[in-house]
Amino acid sequence: MFRTALRNVLAHKARLLMTVLAVMLGVAFVAGTLVFTSTISQASQGAMQQSFRDVDVAIQPQSGDATGAPPLLDQKLLDKAARVPGAASATGVVHGFTAIADKKGELIGDASHSEGGNYAPGTGGKDPRYPLRNGAPPHGPHEFALDAPTADKAGYKVGDTVRISTNGPVHEQRLTGIFTADANRVPPGSSLALFDTPTAQKLLGAPGSFHEIQLKADPGTSQTALKSAVESVLPKGKAEAGTGKQLSADLAEMIKSRSEDMQRYLLVFAGVALFVGIFLIANTFTMLVAQRTQELALLRAVGASRRQVTRSVLLEAFVVGVIASVVGLVTGIGIGAGLRSLASSMSATTPDGPLVVPFSAVVASLLVGVLITVLAAWLPGRRAAKIPPVAAMNSVHATPTTKSLVVRNTLGALVAGAGTAGVLAATHISDDDAGAKVMSLSAAVAMTGVFILTPLLSRPLIALAAPVLRSFGVAGTLARLNAVRNPRRTAATASALMIGLTLITGLTVIATSVQTGVEKKAVASLKADYVVSMAGNQPLSPEVAKKLGALDEVTAVSPLRQSVTGGADPTMLTAVDGSKFDQLTRLDFTQGSLGRLRGDRVVVDERTAERGKLHPGSRIPVTFNDGTKSTLTVSGVYEPSDLLHGVVVDQATVAAHQKQATDSQVLVKTRGDASAATKEALVTALGKNPAISVADKQQVSEEIAGQITMMLNVLYGLLAMAVVVAVLGVINTLAMSVFERAQEIGMLRAIGLDRLGIKRMVRLESLVISLFGGVLGVGLGVFFGWAGGQLISKTMREYEMALPWGRLGLFLAVAALIGVLAALWPARRAARLNILAAIKAE
């Protein structure tokens, strides 16, 4: 039986090709994901661990102050740490966002990787971390040094004047030195500007303070011993010490955790592609078994048992699975390498490192590919074993009985009904996590029920296309009859496409609805003409609001200043200018009103109110991080938006408790409507800072829409693999159907149907099957999108159901295009069949 199975695989190489491709693509997705994430994870861990290569002990802040930023370490602590027994040296480190403008005034590189720091000279007046390639170290408030790659990219030389921004105002600094550094200190694609320590403290932190203190141990002193000695001088509750090894291990664990999260996310989509591939595999083996009815029945007649026949089919599947898995593994390694190159081209900060092929990728590829193929072929193999030997004499394969169809339809109706009921019930569950779990499980059950019912649904839905198909004459009529001739085969082929389009449509409906609601709410809540923010969501200096408020074109300005209270129940506050706030925003209040936003009066969003059971008149006890205790009084509860949420308080109430004030955004109201001239005046007032964004309402809306669209496009790309596998399924089904109907096609040619008519018949059949799957997928996707939106609307009041009719039409058009393209090769093959050879085919 093994030789028989192997002979059958070799005899049907062309027919099994699409199955091999489907399995190979799914396995390649799995292998590529494991290779890519392992490569990035190992490279990132290596780069991060190098950050503490020359550090034996690091002192870091432990808790936050009233601004939400970590408390800085002072000079006194640095001096104490330097005198600790076993410490060879102690270096105070300052770091923070620093944007560098090129000679055209544009921001160099990505704002999220634009850093600044301090040049801390040691023995000999040099900082060993940053060897100078040209020039001299920076001294004084108007000098700085720049990393060599950034300087070369921008064409800067020693002596040039460069425009720099840290938190708002533009500074013109003279470039005194160009330095080189290890990749762990200045990753590829990032920029690093160095100032002398007093200047760095003023621009990036607070005068006399550091973000971190790094110590080197004397020869013979272990990191653990030095850490123990350092802990004796640390202020309690303000700072903590860690060894270089410990901090490296913590970083490695954090990176590993993030990589595993990304890996799980990508593997979900690989699983979808493999699941879709199951339909293709099952379809292929079902058709192969049907075409070998005589052969299998003869094997039974000469003594083969049912178990041997089933084992023969499973052995075929095993051989196919092994071949597909090996090819998929090799392809996946290539995909992993390609993804790494793509990531490097899209983000210059992607760490370099060797390609990593983990043992898990090899094992997973072989196991997944073989198991999926064998499991998908089990049911066709079981059916093959039931073929009675007498079938060898009349070449008639048992067709599904009425009883089996009734059982299938009844089961499908019960499963689909139970799943639909579960989805509807989940929309009324108050617990969001429980509701999401119930809905996910119920949606899977509902889709399973629809799949079981697909043969039943195929006849009426395909019948709706009859008037259109009749317009194509005999070819159209034959295409309709062929599509409903074997409902199970049609259902399996269409279901593969249905699954992909269901997921794509559901995600599109939810994303479009979120986007519509957020856009409307964000714009509707704004009376301000402009929103000013720093690139990379970095904090803004209070000087920005002051400069804008001094302009004649500006009538009202208010910063949005985030702050955090301390105590057992920390509260996030958004401080604003209470006297101008009502001129800049239009909040929708569900309880109370804005009133006078002064003193202890605050307004809270609905989520905060529900969490704390707050209402107008409620008192909120808070402890500011300077130790001062206070009580805030709620005057109103408003609907949150993407721009404004949480507890809103007058900035004067918290200003006295903040050591360092920074703004997240600034709202600006101008005379008349927003215009290009007014915007130019605002940009000019801020020194034409390349790192500052001045956005009007339309741009705010477009930015929100762009973020959601980008996320949706990523999901489309990940789901594209499932659609590709579904296309292979359509091609495979049609190709094997053409082979199966060779005699019939020959007869049609003999009685006068020309080659063009044969091609048209196969293409129309493919088109009908694809559209059938497309209609089911879009319909289910809209339903699941609506249900998911009901859950989202409970925590997102601005959610607004919106059907993207244009995209839904596009999805159906794509389904039709898939049908047309998938039929090209099978239709050509059918039209080129030799008439006499086809008529004699058995």
Side-chain angles (χ1 to χ4, degrees), residues 44-351:
S44 299
Q45 288 182 46
M48 287 296 183
Q49 287 175 330
Q50 288 296 314
S51 301
F52 295 98
R53 181 184 56 191
D54 299 322
V55 178
D56 290 312
V57 173
I59 302 174
Q60 298 174 334
Q62 191 171 25
S63 59
D65 65 8
T67 65
L72 303 180
L73 312 173
D74 56 22
Q75 183 66 40
K76 185 184 296 184
L77 179 59
L78 175 62
D79 295 337
K80 287 182 180 180
R83 294 193 296 268
V84 165
S89 64
T91 303
V93 178
V94 182
H95 58 79
F97 171 74
T98 302
I100 310 293
D102 61 19
K103 293 183 177 181
K104 297 180 180 179
E106 301 294 332
L107 180 66
I108 297 178
D110 184 356
S112 60
H113 298 96
S114 300
E115 287 287 322
N118 64 316
Y119 187 91
T123 306
K126 296 182 179 180
D127 189 333
R129 299 173 299 170
Y130 308 110
L132 289 170
R133 188 185 74 180
N134 306 105
H139 292 288
H142 303 296
E143 295 183 354
F144 86 110
L146 187 61
D147 69 280
T150 303
D152 294 341
K153 180 180 179 180
Y156 286 131
K157 298 179 181 179
V158 172
D160 287 346
T161 299
V162 182
R163 300 173 71 243
I164 292 176
S165 174
T166 54
N167 61 358
V170 173
H171 307 278
E172 290 195 344
Q173 309 277 130
R174 189 170 69 86
L175 181 60
T176 62
I178 296 174
F179 63 89
T180 59
D182 294 338
N184 61 291
R185 300 191 187 280
V186 187
S190 62
S191 64
L192 178 62
L194 296 178
F195 312 92
D196 66 12
T197 297
T199 303
Q201 290 173 329
K202 179 181 177 181
L203 295 177
L204 307 175
S209 298
F210 303 94
H211 292 94
E212 185 175 89
I213 296 174
Q214 298 178 350
L215 290 89
K216 285 284 292 179
D218 283 329
T221 302
S222 68
Q223 291 188 353
T224 304
L226 181 58
K227 176 191 173 185
S228 299
V230 167
E231 286 176 338
S232 64
V233 302
L234 297 182
K236 291 185 178 180
K238 294 294 185 181
E240 58 187 356
T243 64
K245 291 181 179 179
Q246 175 191 337
L247 294 171
S248 294
D250 291 344
L251 273 176
E253 185 61 33
M254 179 188 69
I255 294 169
K256 181 181 178 182
S257 176
R258 290 179 180 176
S259 297
E260 288 175 348
D261 289 341
M262 179 173 65
Q263 189 178 93
R264 283 192 292 269
Y265 179 75
L266 292 173
L267 286 176
V268 167
F269 292 92
V272 172
L274 285 168
F275 182 67
V276 172
I278 289 175
F279 293 95
L280 193 162
I281 300 164
N283 233 9
T284 300
F285 278 92
T286 298
M287 295 175 75
L288 285 175
V289 167
Q291 291 168 10
R292 288 159 45 203
T293 299
Q294 287 186 335
E295 175 188 330
L296 295 173
L298 281 171
L299 286 173
R300 291 290 314 283
V302 297
S305 66
R306 287 187 175 186
R307 182 175 297 177
Q308 285 179 312
V309 171
T310 302
R311 193 180 300 159
S312 173
V313 175
L314 293 181
L315 280 173
E316 290 181 48
F318 177 80
V319 173
V320 172
V322 169
I323 294 171
S325 298
V326 172
V327 176
L329 174 61
V330 175
T331 305
I333 294 172
I335 290 175
L339 287 174
R340 184 186 63 173
S341 299
L342 179 63
S344 299
S345 64
M346 294 178 64
S347 175
T349 57
T350 301

Side-chain angles (χ1 to χ4, degrees), residues 40 128 147 238 384 417 469 512 564 580 676-677 749:
I40 294 298
D147 69 280
K238 294 294 185 181
L469 292 174
T512 303
V564 181
K580 307 283 187 174
R749 288 291 315 283

Side-chain angles (χ1 to χ4, degrees), residues 514-531 560 584-588 639-645 665 667 695-705 707-708 796-800:
V514 168
Q515 181 176 311
T516 301
V518 169
E519 282 186 68
K520 285 186 177 180
K521 195 66 179 179
V523 174
S525 64
L526 272 180
K527 289 183 183 177
D529 295 311
Y530 298 97
V531 177
L560 301 182
L584 297 163
T585 60
R586 186 183 294 106
L587 300 182
D588 292 329
E639 293 183 8
S641 68
D642 188 69
L643 182 69
L644 199 67
H645 51 83
Q665 293 173 314
L667 306 182
D696 57 26
K697 292 181 182 180
Q698 182 62 32
Q699 290 171 322
V700 169
S701 177
E702 290 174 354
E703 183 178 347
I704 295 171
Q707 294 171 353
I708 297 175
M796 183 179 177
R797 287 293 299 269
E798 60 266 30
Y799 184 87
E800 182 178 325

Side-chain angles (χ1 to χ4, degrees), residues 22 25 276 280 497 719-731 818:
L25 286 174
V276 172
L280 193 162
L497 188 58
L719 286 170
M721 186 68 75
V723 176
V724 170
V725 174
V727 173
L728 291 177
V730 178
I731 296 173
I818 287 172

